[in-house]
Amino acid sequence: MFLIDGAAIVDYPAFLCALGEAVNGPGGYFGGIRLSSLQDCSHGSFGATLPFALRIADVEACRARLDGNALAEWASQRLASGDYLDDEGKLWLTDAIRDGRRQSRSLLDVVVDVLRSHGVTIEAEVTDART
């Protein structure tokens, strides 16, 4: 099992850095700004053998930073830079912008969906701030 401290996540690059270090040690890599690179790493050839589990401690802190606004911003950047393969990818990004602005989907939701689709088990740990 690999562990990420969700309270330390300030943005998507920080999530990727934390994931890379959890899986591959200090300075480790496990995906870049494109979702396709996260998908590539999730196939098991970048330091982790599938299936594996990932625990996100303090997932609510992580979700607060990788929220719908973060998804809309990330997708807008991908769209503006032409970072999609085809019309289907362009439509997916357009839908992600809309969903993010509506807060109906978060960037964390998208990342978790990618990881789960490749057989990664996600365990979310909610930290109770009252304790």
Side-chain angles (χ1 to χ4, degrees):
M1 168 159 326
F2 301 105
L3 174 66
I4 291 177
D5 177 7
I9 304 303
V10 296
D11 56 19
Y12 183 53
F15 181 89
L16 293 171
C17 181
L19 181 57
E21 291 191 349
V23 172
N24 294 310
Y29 174 83
F30 202 86
I33 198 72
R34 295 178 174 183
L35 282 180
S36 59
S37 66
L38 180 62
Q39 291 170 332
D40 288 344
C41 291
S42 298
H43 286 291
S45 60
F46 284 86
T49 302
L50 291 171
F52 67 86
L54 173 66
R55 173 174 281 167
I56 304 172
D58 200 352
V59 71
E60 292 308 316
C62 185
R63 184 177 307 285
R65 300 223 176 72
L66 301 182
D67 63 0
N69 294 326
L71 174 60
E73 181 180 331
W74 174 86
S76 293
Q77 290 171 354
R78 305 284 58 78
L79 197 58
S81 67
D83 185 13
Y84 51 88
L85 296 176
D86 52 26
D87 288 340
E88 186 177 326
K90 184 176 183 179
L91 179 61
W92 187 92
L93 288 170
T94 302
D95 289 346
I97 293 167
R98 181 201 62 224
D99 293 348
R101 288 180 178 154
R102 290 180 182 170
Q103 298 298 316
S104 62
R105 187 166 41 148
S106 71
L107 186 52
L108 183 61
D109 293 334
V110 170
V111 170
V112 165
D113 287 348
V114 167
L115 293 170
R116 283 185 173 148
S117 73
H118 292 285
V120 178
T121 300
I122 306 292
E123 296 180 11
E125 181 180 304
V126 177
T127 302
D128 187 347
R130 297 172 292 180
T131 60

